[in-house]
Amino acid sequence: MKQILIIPDIINIEETLKLAKEYNLGFEYNDFFAPDVLDDSDRLVALCKNYKQHSLPEYTTLHGAFFDVIPFSLDKRVKEISLQRIHQSIDVARMMGAKAVVFHTNYNPFLNSTSYINGFIKENIRIWDEILKANPDINIYLENMFDTTPDIMVKLAENLQANPNFGICLDYGHAALSKVAPYEWAKVLGQYVKHIHLNDNDLISDLHLAWGDGKIHREAFYEAYSTYLKGATVLVETSSYDNIVKSLKRLIEEGFID
């Protein structure tokens, strides 16, 4: 049985919890990646307590910090704050009992010189290998963001796969905006993919629409999942309650969710 997750809404938590119970869903917390939350310990602890006073789903993940997080930067100060944000996110995941943290690669496709690409790959392998080894109790998933092809992520995965807590988060919507069809992303990265972000868009912008409200080829995704991505957890990555419900119903109608 597939593990499907949704983004909880702490403001309307009872509504979200009811939905999770009805569909046997997990949560992916999206409340903790903002810098102003990470820098306010009182607010962060209160938010955690607010969640944990409820009966939460057993399986949860957390979206890590990503705003300007460039741990591979040549600027020492940028690197330091980026690593701080990463470690803060991992700490919050432990506080919340989350099984995994998702981080963006934040690769810049416009900086496409050989030196930038080689430096990006080498430094990311070094950094994430250290982080993975230092945090064996937390799964760490790297997500494609601005990446235009899966090539660089393949190289990262090949060098990090020895860590049992490493995985790729395939954002299918982001892949649909790239130069390579998302089905091909699944084919090339499938053996490394442990988590998926799923929503729809117009093939132009990352709109986070309800699944089926955009132009992404849904049957191709279902085929890609059954062929290359079996076992990966799936986040229905849209925040609107109505869009979550619409997505879940469409996934059930089309046979993806039992």
Side-chain angles (χ1 to χ4, degrees):
M1 185 175 180
K2 302 179 185 74
Q3 177 64 68
I4 308 297
L5 298 87
I6 60 172
I7 299 170
D9 178 4
I10 190 62
I11 304 300
N12 301 293
I13 189 64
E14 294 298 342
E15 187 177 54
T16 312
L17 286 168
K18 182 179 178 181
L19 191 64
K21 185 175 182 180
E22 179 181 356
Y23 289 93
N24 193 29
L25 307 170
F27 280 169
E28 181 158 299
Y29 301 110
N30 273 217
D31 313 83
F32 301 99
F33 55 65
D36 59 340
V37 174
L38 293 173
D39 285 339
D40 188 337
S41 58
D42 290 340
R43 181 179 174 186
L44 193 152
V45 170
L47 186 55
C48 288
K49 286 182 177 179
N50 197 350
Y51 267 119
K52 293 173 79 171
Q53 68 180 330
H54 300 281
S55 180
L56 301 169
E58 181 178 350
Y59 189 88
T60 63
T61 58
L62 182 140
H63 201 307
F66 63 90
F67 291 115
D68 306 310
V69 174
I70 314 291
F72 51 89
S73 175
L74 295 175
D75 188 316
K76 182 179 178 181
R77 292 187 180 183
V78 173
K79 181 188 290 287
E80 287 175 352
I81 189 62
S82 296
L83 289 171
Q84 178 184 334
R85 295 303 189 207
I86 289 169
H87 291 300
Q88 284 177 310
S89 296
I90 293 171
D91 289 343
V92 174
R94 286 197 183 94
M95 291 170 64
M96 291 299 296
K99 307 296 185 184
V101 189
V102 178
F103 293 104
H104 291 175
T105 59
N106 280 342
Y107 167 73
N108 187 339
F110 293 101
L111 299 177
N112 56 8
S113 67
T114 301
S115 61
Y116 174 79
I117 293 173
N118 290 342
F120 176 93
I121 294 170
K122 182 179 179 180
E123 188 64 0
N124 271 280
I125 290 170
R126 184 191 68 78
I127 289 167
W128 290 110
D129 190 62
E130 288 183 1
I131 292 171
L132 287 157
K133 284 181 169 57
N135 299 278
D137 57 319
I138 298 288
N139 290 320
I140 293 174
Y141 301 153
L142 296 185
E143 174 188 344
N144 56 304
M145 181 61 181
F146 307 116
D147 309 69
T148 55
T149 76
D151 299 351
I152 290 176
M153 295 195 75
V154 168
K155 292 180 181 178
L156 294 180
E158 287 174 346
N159 285 275
L160 294 171
Q161 64 175 319
N163 296 287
N165 54 330
F166 167 77
I168 292 292
C169 170
L170 176 60
D171 191 303
Y172 204 79
H174 292 170
L177 301 175
S178 76
K179 295 178 180 179
V180 176
Y183 185 92
E184 292 301 314
W185 280 77
K187 181 178 180 180
V188 172
L189 285 171
Q191 63 182 307
Y192 310 113
V193 174
K194 294 184 180 178
H195 190 50
I196 297 166
H197 284 178
L198 190 67
N199 52 56
D200 215 332
N201 60 55
D202 59 0
L203 305 182
I204 298 172
S205 301
D206 188 26
L207 301 174
H208 285 220
L209 300 175
W211 183 240
D213 279 3
K215 296 183 179 180
I216 292 178
H217 194 309
R218 301 195 302 283
E219 287 302 324
F221 168 73
Y222 301 144
E223 181 181 341
Y225 187 92
S226 64
T227 306
Y228 303 112
L229 306 170
K230 278 184 179 177
T233 54
V234 180
L235 169 67
V236 177
E237 195 187 21
T238 181
S239 298
S240 158
Y241 178 84
D242 290 342
N243 281 347
I244 292 173
V245 172
K246 185 185 291 187
S247 298
L248 292 170
K249 288 183 176 179
R250 187 164 280 130
L251 289 165
I252 291 171
E253 290 168 0
E254 297 180 343
F256 183 71
I257 299 178
D258 297 332

